[in-house]
Amino acid sequence: MKYQLSAFADESSSDILQQVDALKRNGYSYLEIRSVGDKSFNRLTIAETKEVAKILADNGIIVKSLGSNIGKIKIDGDFDAHMELYKHTLEQGNIFGSEMIRLFSFFLPEDQDPAQYKNLVLDRMGLIAETAKQFGIKACHENEKGIYGAAASRCLEIHQAVPELGGIFDPAN
């Protein structure tokens, strides 16, 4: 089995050129883009995205995956606006030539039973996976504290209901 390692380069610097330098110094050519400057990459305009994509391509850096903040909203937040951001993010993924997107399954109220949100979460995750597929990108769910998929059993529910979703396990979460 062959592994391709990618990195979050924004942990070295917010500046994209310094991120490129850090990747090169450490022998990485694959990036999971997360932020550029002082903002999440998906807050860049399409014109800014094209500029960043050119810098990366000119330096031999491939954006293997999008380290997005999609699904990191409250379950009762403005889902329609979030889906518009998601489509913008997927459009950026096409500009970068990304294969995958990392995403989450919505923050739940702390004082309520997660089971009451199961159907809503599963419906939304299905829509998210289908939308990514339309852009030729694989949606991958990551566990995270406070979201529906915080517990292994609920991650399993998500993946059983939406088998086209990839999975990302973060042991720190």
Side-chain angles (χ1 to χ4, degrees):
M1 180 178 276
K2 182 179 175 185
Y3 292 93
Q4 295 175 333
L5 299 177
S6 63
F8 286 130
D10 62 352
E11 293 182 359
S12 67
S13 174
S14 61
D15 180 83
I16 193 64
L17 293 174
Q18 290 180 14
Q19 289 183 34
V20 167
D21 183 57
L23 289 165
K24 287 181 168 183
R25 273 194 329 271
N26 289 285
Y28 282 81
S29 58
Y30 295 115
L31 169 66
E32 184 163 351
I33 195 164
R34 190 168 51 184
S35 66
V36 176
D38 61 350
K39 57 187 169 186
S40 173
F41 80 90
N42 64 357
R43 298 296 181 178
L44 298 173
T45 66
I46 293 301
E48 291 169 327
T49 300
K50 289 178 180 178
E51 289 174 23
V52 170
K54 182 174 182 349
I55 290 168
L56 295 171
D58 288 350
N59 283 281
I61 304 297
I62 297 164
V63 180
K64 194 74 169 168
S65 182
L66 305 170
S68 84
N69 52 8
I70 299 302
K72 281 192 168 189
I73 64 168
K74 292 180 179 180
I75 191 69
D76 59 357
D78 187 346
F79 183 67
D80 291 337
H82 200 60
M83 281 301 291
E84 288 306 310
L85 175 63
Y86 182 46
K87 290 173 187 173
H88 171 76
T89 305
L90 293 169
E91 185 178 352
Q92 290 176 291
N94 286 161
I95 291 166
F96 287 127
S98 303
E99 297 176 7
M100 299 172 282
I101 183 168
R102 175 187 301 247
L103 43 80
F104 304 87
S105 56
F106 309 100
F107 290 111
L108 304 178
E110 290 181 26
D111 59 345
Q112 295 183 17
D113 181 5
Q116 74 186 58
Y117 297 100
K118 177 181 176 178
N119 291 337
L120 180 58
V121 168
L122 297 181
D123 288 347
R124 287 182 176 182
M125 296 308 291
L127 179 59
I128 282 170
E130 182 57 37
T131 304
K133 190 175 174 183
Q134 293 168 10
F135 283 82
I137 296 175
K138 176 136 180 108
C140 300
H141 174 261
E142 179 182 345
N143 62 305
E144 169 93 6
K145 182 181 181 198
I147 65 170
Y148 186 83
S153 61
R154 293 194 302 269
C155 285
L156 179 61
E157 289 173 356
I158 291 168
H159 289 286
Q160 287 176 332
V162 189
E164 59 270 27
L165 273 177
I168 297 171
F169 175 67
D170 185 337
N173 289 336

